[in-house]
Amino acid sequence: MKLRRKKAKPITLKDVTIIDDSKLRKAITAAALGNAMEWFDFGVYGFLANALGKVFFPEASPGVQLVATLATFSVPFLIRPLGGLFFGRLGDKYGRQKILAITIIIMSISTFSIGLIPSYAMIGVWAPILLLLCKMAQGFSVGGEYTGASIFIAEYSPDRKRGFMGSWLEFGSIAGYVLGAGVVLLITALIGEQGLDSWGWRLPFFLAFPLGVIGLYLRHALEETPAFQQHVETMEQGDREGLQDGPKISFGEVVRKYWRSFLCCIGVVIVTNVTYYMLLTYMPSYLSHSLGYTEEQGVLIIIAIMMGMLFIQPVIGLLSDRFGRRPFVIGGSIALFLLAVPAFRLIDSGLQPLIFSGLLVLAVILNCFTGVMASSLPAMFPTQVRFSALASAFNISVLIAGLTPTVIAWLVEATSNLMMPAYYLMAVAAIGIVTGLAMRETANKPLRGAAPAASDIEEAKEILKEHHASIEQQIEDIEAEITRLEAQRRRLIDQHPRIEA
């Protein structure tokens, strides 16, 4: 019996989702604020690495203190994949908004608690143990934070503006670093490095609580994303009930079915986050510990660099909507491979203008990645498994990237070679080049498994017109291919003595 293929329903103007501008702005603000708080803590931890080493590991040498403090920074990344699996499944089960509210609560409480931990001099080995526990709680919550926030913005954004809108998530990350650096600098200026080492290091962590309250308020007031609402509403009743049991596809099946997207996601995250942690977490300690600058000088240089990144970030996102995401991943990776060594030569020169130039080169390259990551990754997976698949791939990658500060600090300490960070970046750049060549272009296209999204009715009409034009072109291509095959068939028949048309 021959099965009849069900005719696909034509896409009409009603099928194009019109995005409400006010809801979009609220979504971006709420998502970016939570991400800013996450990176505020990471930034503060990096800027205070030397001070925290004296407080929690006072009996070790300065070099070992730095490695131990950065190791405490890296260990929680072992927990992030567990948080990603946990929150990813919940995000595909209950929606994105609820998960983002939960993650910001855990993150703000664990960050605030770091400021309450007594020093090693007071409670001995329990001090670093408590620090590690707080960092592990952060790692668990962050496992669902970035992926949830990027998905939230992507599912709220019009197709033609997803790159620009997604770039504001990383704008929040950089802004969090700037805020963390500014707070450390201000406290150091007011109480001096001795006061900072004694008790002032606690103050930046206390800021996490009010930031968390504001973020929770904004996220709690948000509606669920249009893409997820559409996913639930269009399911049959039985499937909708099954949604409460979580994604029906297992992690192994996700990897097998979407292996290319999974590997591309891992590659993009590794090249982005290794460069990120190298520049914004490890570099302040590198400037002060390895090059002999004061912590204040190191922080001032990084603040200036990050302020420049804030201006470049949305520009990259905007350009990616016009030229695509792949050119920035490929171009940024090639630039990182070619310029990593020259950049560190400038940084190691001892001259502040050259140091600034070297850091600026790395910052612009980093912007090429951060400007497109939040818009590229969610587009790689369909709605029904987007959160769980992306959270898994993202946090596996971050598990590798998160070791960057510790590994680099150890390599420099063990080899006394200040160029080790550059060689490390070159190896990562090779991964980025391969990934950029392998990934599919997603700019100006609907999210996988979702309806087209537009800013207004006029844009919706244009999208529909382009969609129909694309179909017409595909039909013409198929007809041309049929004509070519018919001609080839005729030639082969003519060559055979017993076959007739």
Side-chain angles (χ1 to χ4, degrees):
M1 183 177 66
K2 189 175 181 179
L3 294 176
R4 297 182 63 186
R5 184 183 297 273
K6 185 178 179 180
K7 186 177 180 180
K9 181 182 177 183
I11 295 179
T12 66
L13 198 59
K14 293 181 180 179
D15 297 312
V16 180
T17 303
I18 307 298
I19 303 297
D20 185 285
D21 282 344
S22 62
K23 291 181 180 179
L24 175 59
R25 287 193 296 270
K26 290 178 182 177
I28 292 173
T29 302
L33 181 61
N35 212 44
M37 196 183 77
E38 171 191 343
W39 294 104
F40 169 82
D41 168 68
F42 284 167
V44 164
Y45 199 88
F47 294 128
L48 292 176
N50 284 332
L52 293 175
K54 298 172 186 176
V55 172
F56 291 99
F57 308 98
E59 297 180 356
S61 66
V64 174
Q65 284 180 357
L66 178 61
V67 173
T69 305
L70 293 177
T72 308
F73 170 86
S74 297
V75 166
F77 286 88
L78 300 172
I79 307 298
R80 287 185 65 159
L82 297 178
L85 288 172
F86 178 78
F87 289 116
R89 291 188 67 84
L90 291 180
D92 286 330
K93 178 178 179 181
Y94 296 113
R96 296 36 168 140
Q97 183 266 344
K98 295 181 179 65
I99 301 307
L100 287 178
I102 295 172
T103 57
I104 201 168
I105 292 173
I106 299 174
M107 192 160 49
S108 59
I109 292 176
S110 57
T111 303
F112 176 80
S113 298
I114 291 177
L116 300 176
I117 301 174
S119 67
Y120 186 94
M122 295 179 64
I123 60 173
V125 71
W126 282 106
I129 291 176
L130 291 175
L131 175 64
L132 182 60
L133 290 175
C134 288
K135 296 299 292 181
M136 291 174 70
Q138 285 179 338
F140 188 77
S141 65
V142 171
E145 170 61 33
Y146 180 86
T147 50
S150 63
I151 289 170
F152 202 82
I153 292 179
E155 291 184 347
Y156 251 113
S157 298
D159 296 337
R160 294 184 175 182
K161 298 179 180 178
R162 187 166 293 116
F164 179 64
M165 299 304 174
S167 68
W168 290 102
L169 181 63
E170 293 294 347
F171 183 95
S173 303
I174 301 168
Y177 263 97
V178 172
L179 178 61
V183 168
V184 172
L185 185 63
L186 178 62
I187 293 173
T188 305
L190 292 175
I191 64 177
E193 290 194 17
Q194 186 175 356
L196 182 73
D197 294 346
S198 177
W199 58 273
W201 63 269
R202 301 179 184 275
L203 299 180
F205 296 106
F206 290 153
L207 283 177
F209 187 77
L211 288 175
V213 171
I214 296 172
L216 178 61
Y217 171 77
L218 291 173
R219 290 183 173 186
H220 183 71
L222 290 172
E223 295 181 8
E224 188 52 77
T225 66
F228 189 80
Q229 290 184 33
Q230 181 190 53
H231 168 59
V232 175
E233 290 169 0
T234 55
M235 294 177 73
E236 296 178 359
Q237 182 63 34
D239 288 337
R240 188 182 299 118
E241 291 172 355
L243 182 71
Q244 300 305 310
D245 298 325
K248 296 181 178 180
I249 182 170
S250 68
F251 172 75
E253 290 174 309
V254 168
V255 175
R256 286 193 296 272
K257 189 172 183 180
Y258 305 107
W259 63 269
R260 180 172 177 174
S261 296
F262 204 83
L263 291 177
C264 286
C265 177
I266 289 175
V268 171
V269 176
I270 286 178
V271 69
T272 302
N273 280 27
V274 166
T275 311
Y276 217 133
Y277 295 136
M278 180 77 74
L279 181 63
L280 302 182
T281 299
Y282 173 72
M283 197 53 66
S285 300
Y286 179 82
L287 292 173
S288 58
H289 178 73
S290 299
L291 301 185
Y293 287 88
T294 65
E295 290 185 16
E296 183 177 352
Q297 288 175 317
V299 170
L300 277 173
I301 294 173
I302 297 297
I303 285 180
I305 293 296
M306 288 189 294
M307 291 297 290
M309 291 179 66
L310 286 175
F311 290 100
I312 299 173
Q313 180 71 20
V315 174
I316 297 293
L318 187 65
L319 291 175
S320 76
D321 284 326
R322 181 173 181 179
F323 300 108
R325 327 292 189 214
R326 293 178 70 242
F328 287 97
V329 175
I330 297 171
S333 299
I334 293 174
L336 186 62
F337 186 85
L338 297 176
L339 299 178
V341 170
F344 270 88
R345 296 282 186 200
L346 294 172
I347 294 169
D348 295 344
S349 67
L351 301 174
Q352 286 198 5
L354 296 182
I355 293 173
F356 184 84
S357 298
L359 292 172
L360 184 61
V361 168
L362 295 178
V364 173
I365 293 173
L366 176 58
N367 272 130
C368 290
F369 303 136
T370 58
V372 301
M373 187 167 73
S375 56
S376 298
L377 301 187
M380 293 182 180
F381 301 99
T383 306
Q384 66 270 22
V385 297
R386 181 170 294 132
F387 206 140
S388 52
L390 182 54
S392 300
F394 184 88
N395 288 293
I396 289 172
S397 316
V398 171
L399 175 63
I400 300 171
L403 297 174
T404 298
T406 306
V407 172
I408 294 300
W410 177 80
L411 287 173
V412 172
E413 188 74 16
T415 65
S416 299
N417 186 347
L418 296 179
M419 295 305 295
M420 291 306 297
Y423 302 146
Y424 197 88
L425 287 177
M426 290 179 68
V428 169
I431 296 175
I433 294 171
V434 173
T435 301
L437 294 172
M439 65 187 289
R440 296 186 177 96
E441 186 56 72
T442 59
N444 299 307
K445 297 178 181 178
L447 290 173
R448 198 166 175 177
S455 300
D456 51 45
I457 190 66
E458 293 302 321
E459 187 175 291
K461 292 178 180 178
E462 292 177 8
I463 289 175
L464 194 62
K465 184 178 179 180
E466 291 175 0
H467 175 71
H468 291 158
S470 175
I471 292 177
E472 292 171 2
Q473 183 61 51
Q474 291 178 52
I475 292 173
E476 291 178 2
D477 293 342
I478 291 172
E479 289 177 343
E481 181 66 12
I482 290 174
T483 301
R484 187 188 67 81
L485 291 173
E486 283 289 350
Q488 183 179 355
R489 177 177 177 272
R490 168 55 60 186
R491 287 195 300 271
L492 293 174
I493 288 175
D494 291 342
Q495 295 174 23
H496 201 287
R498 293 188 298 274
I499 297 179
E500 296 183 358

